[in-house]
Amino acid sequence: MKFVEFTGPIIRYYREKQGIDIGTICIQTGIQKPQYLEIETGKKEVFLNTWKKICDVIGIEFISLFKNEDVYEELYDAGLHALLYDDIDEQKRLFENVNEQHIRKSILFPKFALLRFIYDTMNEDKPPLDMIKTLECFKDAYTLPEQCLYYDYSGFCYQKVRQYEKAKTLYETAEHLATMENKDMLYYHMGIMHYRMNEQLTALFYFRKAYNMFEKAWNTNRLLYTHGSIGICYSRMSEFEMAKKQFEETIRLAIQYKNRYVMCTTYDNIAFNCFKMHDYKECIRYCYKAIDMDYHWPFLFAYLAFSFYKLEDEEKAWEWIHRGKETVKDEAALDLIEYVVLLIEKADCVDFLEKMYHKFVEEEYYELQKFVLMELSNIFHQRQLYEHEAECLRELLKLHGER
């Protein structure tokens, strides 16, 4: 009987979920409490009829626990591969073939709970922190690679809610458990965390390590994401020409490996890189490339409106302002669009920019903070308010330096 190591943790999971205390189970089954605790923790093997007694008290169908093991194991292996290699079609096939109601009654539920956790962590806007507690019941029964995935994606959950110290601790545990097969994704996630913390050199270090491992494993989708991430780091470090070369190579690879999503996001990244370089004609060109592929990232509308304003084409600027206001829901992108409106109308923008800056600080939008600080410093310079200008430039220097 395979996966019997999960039986105790599953019993504990359903017992706690239904609010049944250990004393009740011991009374109804005749099992002594010390023995029962060893059963739940997997330290004691018991006869099948004892498992059945426990299942009856908790309300689990004993036979269903061990049905379809081979089928579920095959689905699990395929699903894990699809998730780690970011094979969207295979992921869709997996979840179409899995009846989660049946899986929850299977001995393989802990493994599929891990799959669902990884999937939701990567694809949901709100990280599934509540699932970490569920997996906590099973983590000691997982293999070492599975434990590594548990700690890795738990860390990714916490970094998404900006609890970086908690994430670091979980990543350290994952790295301690990781084999070479696990380290590529772990280093990629660590790179993302340091990028979000505005620690670009450390982010580059981890992205490069991850890239080399993805390349050796022929994990082409993840390799493309990492290649683009290296370009984003260069761009944030104001190494704009290096960033552009990196992005252009990412586009070439994305075309080669037929990854449409990476092509779209990289066009957006090049557009923003050109925007920061004040190369507004190139910014417009790459924005159009992204939009022509039906990729409507909210900030593209803001880049286009601002770029056309800078090129003194107010008619086109208004066109993208109106299209942005009709389409965009993101507040930060809408703020940038509204800023272009104020520029065209020659309104006083200082108060608006200062409010926008504080919102970007709160949201940790480092690149947009830089943009607003530069706009403010230019305004203060024109008005000969040199102390205010100097304050903006000091804040800019802080953002450019790695913390």
Side-chain angles (χ1 to χ4, degrees):
M1 189 176 292
K2 291 182 286 184
F3 305 112
V4 69
E5 69 269 20
F6 288 123
T7 310
I10 284 175
I11 294 296
R12 176 192 162 196
Y13 169 75
Y14 280 109
R15 177 182 64 76
E16 291 181 347
K17 189 174 183 180
Q18 295 178 46
I20 301 171
D21 61 73
I22 291 174
T24 299
I25 293 183
C26 291
I27 291 169
Q28 294 189 36
T29 60
I31 302 171
Q32 297 295 315
K33 187 173 181 179
Q35 291 178 303
Y36 181 78
L37 288 172
E38 288 184 330
I39 291 170
E40 273 201 358
T41 55
K43 295 177 182 176
K44 184 176 180 63
E45 292 187 17
V46 293
F47 294 114
L48 291 179
N49 63 334
T50 304
W51 283 124
K52 187 175 185 310
K53 286 180 184 178
I54 297 170
C55 287
D56 288 344
V57 175
I58 295 175
I60 302 173
E61 187 183 345
F62 170 72
I63 295 298
S64 70
L65 276 176
F66 301 99
K67 283 174 67 176
N68 301 318
E69 284 180 44
D70 292 338
V71 174
Y72 288 154
E73 183 181 2
E74 185 179 326
L75 282 171
Y76 169 77
D77 290 340
L80 185 60
H81 184 275
L83 287 168
L84 297 184
Y85 281 74
D86 201 47
D87 186 334
I88 304 298
D89 292 336
E90 186 67 16
Q91 289 174 29
K92 184 178 179 182
R93 188 192 73 80
L94 165 77
F95 288 110
E96 283 176 351
N97 280 276
V98 170
N99 184 320
E100 294 205 25
Q101 292 300 315
H102 291 167
I103 285 285
R104 284 182 173 275
K105 299 174 183 176
S106 164
I107 199 73
L108 276 176
F109 170 59
K111 286 178 172 279
F112 276 89
L114 180 63
L115 281 192
R116 172 57 70 178
F117 174 63
I118 294 171
Y119 181 82
D120 288 352
T121 298
M122 298 307 298
N123 294 288
E124 298 294 330
D125 291 333
K126 186 178 179 182
L129 293 171
D130 56 325
M131 290 184 70
I132 294 175
K133 187 176 180 182
T134 298
L135 297 182
E136 184 77 19
C137 297
F138 308 131
K139 74 168 194 253
D140 292 335
Y142 288 137
T143 63
L144 283 180
E146 288 165 347
Q147 287 184 37
C148 176
L149 289 171
Y150 163 75
Y151 285 110
D152 179 3
Y153 284 88
S154 295
F156 197 79
C157 268
Y158 280 107
Q159 71 157 283
K160 286 179 85 170
V161 293
R162 302 177 198 158
Q163 294 188 33
Y164 298 124
E165 290 306 316
K166 179 75 172 174
K168 277 184 181 180
T169 301
L170 289 163
Y171 285 145
E172 286 169 5
T173 305
E175 190 170 19
H176 178 72
L177 296 168
T179 62
M180 290 304 290
E181 292 177 356
N182 298 119
K183 284 184 176 178
D184 46 15
M185 282 303 300
L186 175 60
Y187 289 148
Y188 177 63
H189 292 158
M190 291 172 77
I192 293 171
M193 179 183 69
H194 287 287
Y195 175 80
R196 286 177 170 164
M197 295 173 70
N198 203 30
E199 297 175 351
Q200 305 314 309
L201 292 176
T202 310
L204 270 174
F205 170 77
Y206 283 113
F207 283 141
R208 283 173 175 152
K209 289 184 77 166
Y211 182 85
N212 290 333
M213 291 179 176
F214 287 137
E215 194 172 34
K216 289 175 184 174
W218 274 91
N219 190 341
T220 54
N221 288 331
R222 299 292 181 186
L223 181 143
L224 289 171
Y225 299 151
T226 311
H227 200 281
S229 298
I230 291 170
I232 292 170
C233 286
Y234 283 136
S235 185
R236 186 175 281 186
M237 293 164 66
S238 299
E239 299 286 352
F240 298 126
E241 290 299 333
M242 289 181 68
K244 192 173 181 182
K245 287 179 183 177
Q246 188 77 16
F247 290 140
E248 287 170 349
E249 178 65 10
T250 305
I251 289 289
R252 187 189 69 76
L253 291 170
I255 292 170
Q256 178 182 335
Y257 294 118
K258 299 178 181 177
N259 191 315
R260 185 176 180 280
Y261 176 76
V262 171
M263 289 172 63
C264 292
T265 55
T266 307
Y267 284 138
D268 169 57
N269 288 329
I270 300 177
F272 190 39
N273 191 62
C274 294
F275 181 85
K276 291 187 287 184
M277 295 171 69
H278 311 299
D279 188 347
Y280 299 115
K281 288 184 179 179
E282 282 293 276
C283 176
I284 291 167
R285 185 166 76 89
Y286 284 109
C287 284
Y288 280 160
K289 282 180 175 287
I291 290 170
D292 286 345
M293 295 186 73
D294 202 28
Y295 183 73
H296 293 144
W297 180 244
F299 289 97
L300 290 171
F301 296 91
Y303 304 156
L304 284 163
F306 188 85
S307 295
F308 278 116
Y309 165 76
K310 284 292 186 178
L311 294 172
E312 300 181 353
D313 189 341
E314 290 190 6
E315 184 178 344
K316 279 287 187 181
W318 277 116
E319 178 187 333
W320 287 103
I321 288 166
H322 294 314
R323 288 181 65 173
K325 287 186 174 183
E326 290 170 1
T327 307
V328 172
K329 305 297 183 187
D330 185 275
E331 287 189 13
L334 286 171
D335 281 344
L336 287 177
I337 290 169
E338 188 59 34
Y339 175 55
V340 181
V341 173
L342 294 175
L343 289 172
I344 293 173
E345 293 177 346
K346 297 181 171 51
D348 190 330
C349 301
V350 172
D351 288 344
F352 183 82
L353 284 170
E354 288 178 341
K355 286 177 185 176
M356 191 160 60
Y357 174 72
H358 292 303
K359 284 168 69 175
F360 292 162
V361 169
E362 188 177 330
E363 295 297 322
E364 295 185 356
Y365 290 151
Y366 295 109
E367 293 301 274
L368 296 180
Q369 289 174 47
K370 292 177 187 177
F371 170 76
V372 174
L373 287 169
M374 278 303 302
E375 293 295 294
L376 280 169
S377 66
N378 290 335
I379 291 171
F380 290 139
H381 183 80
Q382 290 169 7
R383 297 180 182 180
Q384 298 183 356
L385 297 172
Y386 300 124
E387 288 185 13
H388 293 306
E389 179 191 6
E391 187 178 342
C392 290
L393 295 175
R394 280 194 291 270
E395 290 301 315
L396 267 173
L397 287 172
K398 286 180 187 177
L399 287 171
H400 279 288
E402 182 179 21
R403 293 187 300 182

